[in-house]
């Protein structure tokens, strides 16, 4: 193998749109393995049952189970545009929703996989007999562990990977290879005594440095979780309707992050702080059209409009009341239940809203929505 092989691979990676490319040995440290086991044992994966599946857990811990004879992992970072607003601006835009920056444009999974596959084809030629396999974040791969041991970055206290030059606005991908490449040195830990991400987290989901309890995390709640959001967390979610970037927005390592020249995800203006009222008008076909090729589409209309209702309930804007009253008739029980909650927040003293909630409760035929509305009405009566 050529002496400067790693440098050649880095140049190829850059040509395929990966500004970060580092090499790790294909092993998972005891520290990373036990951190994963503890996280799952404590139930912090929430409803993401696949994370706790025995076989999948074992595969995460063993790169060999993903590619026989694997020797090296090429850890790759692909940047995307940071949000074009500060956290204070996003919080102040109360009649608008906040969508996570990585989801402002096209879904990254297929786009990134295409780039990884193109790079892997180059490696097939470069490395001769060796086998390569590519992974994006849906595969059982401990991507943050490889990013850390390869020196691509370090794990921040918010559990995401940070890079000294690019902050944290990037996505990780990996290429496993049977080639024995010279590993890079780890990057070291550069959070120091900072706790900005832990302090700002609205739901206190970062329960300890490097440990995020998904059950409390707004990213999980708005994207992965499909049920009725725990009532005590709803007021804390503010206007975040798809994901949450708060812990990244306050991180000092993101202070001067520039927008990449060729952001393949192509952020769409319509997804930057969109008007809540427009989003709540979307029917199923409208939702699919509005979020075509966007990661938001995978969440589904019901869960997304649930999030929109919560944001309206947190807006303090009684102008949403007429639209929310109509939404009590929505086709999705999940949306009806959260619309009732939002109404009780925005019009706590209104007798006509109280009557509308009673009627909605009387005609409700979904058990979960019924139970949620029941509590909403009881709480409203206690307040008035
Ligand atoms: S994404 Fe939001 S809710 Fe989750 S840990 Fe970060 S700040 Fe907290
Ligand atoms: S906000 Fe501070 S503690 Fe959190 S990841 Fe950034 S540097 Fe580390």
């Amino acid at each position: 193998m050529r002496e400067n092989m790693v440098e050649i691979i880095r140049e190829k990676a850059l040509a395929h749109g990966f500004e970060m490319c580092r090499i790790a040995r294909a092993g998972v440290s005891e520290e990373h393995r036990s951190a994963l086991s503890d996280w799952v044992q404590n139930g912090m994966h929430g409803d993401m049952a696949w994370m706790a599946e025995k076989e999948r857990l074992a595969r995460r811990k063993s790169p060999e189970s993903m590619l026989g004879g694997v020797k090296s992992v090429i850890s790759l970072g692909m940047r995307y545009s940071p949000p074009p607003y500060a956290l204070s601006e996003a919080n102040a835009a109360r009649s608008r929703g906040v969508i996570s920056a990585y989801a402002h444009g096209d879904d990254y999974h297929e786009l990134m996989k295409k780039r990884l596959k193109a790079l892997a084809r180059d490696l097939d030629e470069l490395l001769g007999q060796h086998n390569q396999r590519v992974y994006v974040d849906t595969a059982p791969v401990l991507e943050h562990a490889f990013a850390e041991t390869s020196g691509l970055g370090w794990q921040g206290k918010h559990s995401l990977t940070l890079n000294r030059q690019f902050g944290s606005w990037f996505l990780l991908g990996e290429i496993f290879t049977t080639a024995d490449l010279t590993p890079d040195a780890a990057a070291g830990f550069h959070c120091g005594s900072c706790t900005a991400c832990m302090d700002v987290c609205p739901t206190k989901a970062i329960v300890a440095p490097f440990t995020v309890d998904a059950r409390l995390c707004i990213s999980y709640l708005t994207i992965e979780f499909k049920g009725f959001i725990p009532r005590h967390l709803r007021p804390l979610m503010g206007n975040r309707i798809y994901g949450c970037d708060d812990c990244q927005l306050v991180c000092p390592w993101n202070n001067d992050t520039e927008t990449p020249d060729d952001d393949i995800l192509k952020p769409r203006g319509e997804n930057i702080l969109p008007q809540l009222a427009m989003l709540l008008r979307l029917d199923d076909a409208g939702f699919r059209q509005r979020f075509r090729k966007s990661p938001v589409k995978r969440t589904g209309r019901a869960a997304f409009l649930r999030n929109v209702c919560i944001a309206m309930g947190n807006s303090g804007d009684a102008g949403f009341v007429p639209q929310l009253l109509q939404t009590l008739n929505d086709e999705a029980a999940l949306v009806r239940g959260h619309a009732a909650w939002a109404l009780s927040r925005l019009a706590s003293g209104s007798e006509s809203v109280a009557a509308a909630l009673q009627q909605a409760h009387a005609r409700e035929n979904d058990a979960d929505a019924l139970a949620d509305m029941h509590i909403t009405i009881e709480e409203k009566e206690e307040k008035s």
Side-chain angles (χ1 to χ4, degrees):
M1 196 180 304
R2 284 193 248 171
E3 232 177 67
N4 60 344
M5 183 57 82
V6 170
E7 287 318 311
I8 297 172
I9 292 173
R10 272 198 249 282
E11 277 168 30
K12 295 267 180 205
L14 189 62
H16 286 291
F18 297 103
E19 291 95 335
M20 289 153 266
C21 170
R22 305 275 294 188
I23 313 295
R25 285 216 189 284
V28 176
S29 70
E30 188 46 45
E31 196 186 344
H32 285 124
R33 292 155 70 104
S34 59
L36 175 64
S37 300
D38 291 351
W39 188 74
V40 168
Q41 266 165 21
N42 288 322
M44 292 192 189
H45 57 292
D47 270 8
M48 297 182 285
W50 70 91
M51 288 238 168
E53 278 168 20
K54 234 179 168 180
E55 194 198 331
R56 238 179 124 85
L57 258 181
R59 292 181 84 194
R60 262 178 201 274
K61 293 177 186 173
S62 163
E64 175 71 25
S65 67
M66 302 292 284
L67 174 65
V70 63
K71 292 273 189 320
S72 311
V73 173
I74 306 172
S75 178
L76 297 141
M78 188 177 90
R79 294 168 65 209
Y80 59 89
S81 301
Y85 43 75
L87 180 56
S88 56
E89 292 169 303
N91 283 338
R94 292 165 72 100
S95 62
R96 293 168 178 270
V98 185
I99 292 177
S100 225
Y102 81 86
H104 282 163
D106 291 351
D107 193 344
Y108 69 92
H109 289 91
E110 284 311 310
L111 296 169
M112 193 178 197
K113 207 163 198 171
K114 254 190 212 164
R115 285 187 170 185
L116 287 169
K117 280 184 175 169
L119 177 57
R121 276 195 296 276
D122 284 357
L123 297 186
D124 288 346
E125 273 184 34
L126 265 174
L127 299 171
Q129 301 295 317
H130 291 289
N131 293 329
Q132 277 71 235
R133 284 196 71 176
V134 307
Y135 300 103
V136 290
D137 75 350
T138 44
V141 168
L142 269 179
E143 53 182 8
H144 293 292
F146 293 119
E148 193 177 329
T149 49
S150 71
L152 187 146
W154 71 97
Q155 192 186 12
K157 290 179 190 171
H158 51 19
S159 87
L160 301 169
T161 301
L162 286 165
N163 175 279
R164 287 181 79 104
Q165 189 181 355
F166 298 116
S168 62
W169 304 114
F170 60 87
L171 302 158
L172 288 169
E174 295 76 32
I175 298 181
F176 282 22
T177 174
T178 53
D180 196 357
L181 302 170
T182 310
D184 289 305
F189 177 66
H190 301 283
C191 283
S193 59
C194 173
T195 55
C197 52
M198 301 180 72
D199 300 340
V200 83
C201 177
T203 52
K204 297 292 166 241
I206 310 173
V207 292
F210 323 111
T211 306
V212 173
D213 187 337
R215 294 166 298 184
L216 299 174
C217 176
I218 297 168
S219 279
Y220 162 79
L221 291 169
T222 53
I223 300 172
E224 305 290 347
F225 181 68
K226 302 294 185 231
F228 280 75
I229 303 249
R231 297 175 67 90
H232 69 288
L233 295 176
R234 295 178 199 173
L236 308 177
M237 290 167 61
N239 55 350
R240 293 154 197 80
I241 55 173
Y242 186 91
C244 169
D245 288 334
D246 291 19
C247 48
Q248 297 190 78
L249 278 163
V250 297
C251 178
W253 287 98
N254 280 334
N255 277 353
D256 303 313
T257 326
E258 285 168 16
T259 301
D261 294 335
D262 72 328
D263 185 352
I264 194 177
L265 306 184
K266 298 186 195 77
R268 305 173 196 165
E270 62 183 8
N271 289 341
I272 315 284
L273 303 177
Q275 294 275 2
L276 295 171
M278 284 174 70
L279 297 175
L280 197 62
R281 273 184 222 124
L282 295 171
D283 60 12
D284 208 42
F287 173 78
R288 279 187 274 115
Q289 175 61 29
R290 170 74 171 70
F291 291 107
R292 212 169 66 88
K293 289 189 176 175
S294 153
V296 176
K297 194 171 126 197
R298 289 190 297 129
T299 295
R301 173 187 177 273
F304 184 68
L305 263 62
R306 165 200 68 184
N307 303 340
V308 171
C309 286
I310 292 176
M312 283 185 167
N314 290 333
S315 69
D317 183 351
F320 288 134
V321 167
Q323 196 179 4
L324 284 165
L325 284 169
Q326 280 178 18
T327 309
L328 290 174
N329 295 309
D330 193 87
E331 66 197 54
L334 193 63
V335 180
R336 296 195 295 273
H338 287 81
W341 177 85
L343 279 165
S344 76
R345 298 261 296 170
L346 295 178
S348 56
S350 161
E351 282 180 21
S352 60
V353 167
L357 289 178
Q358 290 288 0
Q359 285 162 15
H361 181 256
R363 66 175 177 265
E364 185 55 63
N365 53 19
D366 176 272
D368 291 334
L370 199 59
D372 204 82
M373 281 184 194
H374 184 73
I375 302 173
T376 295
I377 290 168
E378 273 192 345
E379 284 178 355
K380 190 172 181 311
E381 282 170 357
E382 274 170 27
K383 272 186 212 152
S384 43

